Amino acid sequence: MAKSLNILLIEDDIIEVMKFNRVLKTLGLNHKIIEANNGEEALSILKDKEIIPDVIFLDLNMPKINGIEFLQILKADDYLKYIPAIILTTSNNHKDVLECYKIGIAGYVLKPLKYDDYVERIRKMLEYWSANELISQ
């Protein structure tokens, strides 16, 4: 049974944040989105432990703490390391992909140019994680 997710979206581009929220609305999904503008803000949200996300979507190219630095900090924390982290980026740099998987990401999604392709990729990711047994525990 699919469940509603608490999603931490870490993205510094307001247009990308609006696009992600629009996709959820278009798909009729009522997942709760917690927004952070950068990795530093996201770590502050996570350390408060007021809301622990079921899944994290993050960009790689961000100010202050970039996506890879954020992942290293996340995966080094014994409590937070089990939160699935999915990269949502325009970078198809093979080195970035390998580094992220080495750190322990749950997925790497390239932001496509066409909006319909973007909707489909997000839909598939959210369907998977809302049905995943790790999330329902």
Side-chain angles (χ1 to χ4, degrees):
M1 175 85 176
K3 70 171 249 177
S4 182
L5 299 172
N6 287 322
I7 301 169
L8 176 56
L9 175 63
I10 310 169
E11 174 63 67
D12 64 320
D13 184 337
I14 189 66
I15 301 298
E16 291 295 330
V17 172
M18 290 174 15
K19 185 166 72 171
F20 190 89
N21 282 298
R22 186 171 135 204
V23 168
L24 267 59
K25 187 174 182 179
T26 298
L27 294 172
L29 302 173
N30 64 343
H31 300 306
K32 179 176 174 50
I33 305 294
I34 304 116
E35 297 173 7
N37 293 318
N38 57 58
E40 194 173 85
E41 186 179 325
L43 288 171
S44 177
I45 290 168
L46 291 169
K47 296 294 180 190
D48 286 346
K49 295 184 174 128
E50 191 172 309
I51 297 176
I52 299 297
D54 297 306
V55 65
I56 297 170
F57 283 86
L58 74 144
D59 191 15
L60 282 183
N61 304 310
M62 297 181 295
K64 298 186 181 184
I65 297 175
N66 70 34
I68 289 175
E69 292 166 333
F70 171 83
L71 285 169
Q72 290 168 333
I73 295 166
L74 181 78
K75 296 304 179 182
D77 185 291
D78 287 336
Y79 182 73
L80 302 173
K81 68 182 176 185
Y82 298 106
I83 301 171
I86 300 160
I87 303 300
L88 186 58
T89 187
T90 55
S91 173
N92 64 354
N93 180 326
H94 190 66
K95 183 176 172 259
D96 287 343
V97 175
L98 290 175
E99 182 64 22
C100 288
Y101 275 109
K102 188 169 87 175
I103 294 168
I105 60 166
Y108 196 101
V109 178
L110 286 175
K111 296 175 189 172
L113 293 176
K114 289 176 56 180
Y115 180 73
D116 290 343
D117 293 340
Y118 182 81
V119 170
E120 187 61 16
R121 288 179 187 185
I122 298 302
R123 182 190 65 74
K124 287 176 181 176
M125 280 288 160
L126 293 175
E127 277 182 1
Y128 175 79
W129 286 107
S130 63
N132 190 283
E133 291 303 313
L134 174 66
I135 301 301
S136 61
Q137 299 300 318

